[in-house]
């Protein structure tokens, strides 16, 4: 509901979401019209 509110009420402003590939919510965002703008690979060393 919050995402739908933002889409309807933020006008022509850009909404940016950061979503991991394996996050099931990604499918929902794509159904709402969001598109992949950039894909990144971030690596972290264990323990940091």
């Amino acid at each position: 509901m919050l995402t739908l509110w933002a889409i309807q009420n933020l006008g022509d402003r850009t909404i940016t979401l950061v979503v991991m590939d394996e996050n099931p919510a990604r499918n929902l965002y794509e159904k709402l019209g969001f598109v992949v703008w950039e894909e990144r690979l971030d690596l972290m060393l264990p323990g940091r």
Side-chain angles (χ1 to χ4, degrees), residues 1-3 6 13 17 19 24 28-29 33 38 41 45-47:
M1 288 179 68
L2 181 58
T3 303
R13 290 187 244 175
L17 299 171
V19 182
L28 170 65
Y29 298 136
E38 174 184 357
L41 175 64
L45 293 173

Side-chain angles (χ1 to χ4, degrees), residues 15 17 26 29-38:
I15 300 171
L17 299 171
R26 183 173 173 165
Y29 298 136
E30 290 175 356
K31 286 179 184 177
L32 292 173
F34 287 86
V35 295
V36 176
W37 179 264
E38 174 184 357

Side-chain angles (χ1 to χ4, degrees):
M1 288 179 68
L2 181 58
T3 303
L4 290 174
W5 180 92
I7 292 168
Q8 294 168 353
N9 292 285
L10 292 178
D12 62 353
R13 290 187 244 175
T14 300
I15 300 171
T16 302
L17 299 171
V18 177
V19 182
M20 304 299 283
D21 285 337
E22 63 273 2
N23 186 334
R26 183 173 173 165
N27 293 328
L28 170 65
Y29 298 136
E30 290 175 356
K31 286 179 184 177
L32 292 173
F34 287 86
V35 295
V36 176
W37 179 264
E38 174 184 357
E39 291 196 40
R40 262 177 39 178
L41 175 64
D42 292 328
L43 302 173
M44 294 176 42
L45 293 173
R48 292 192 177 199

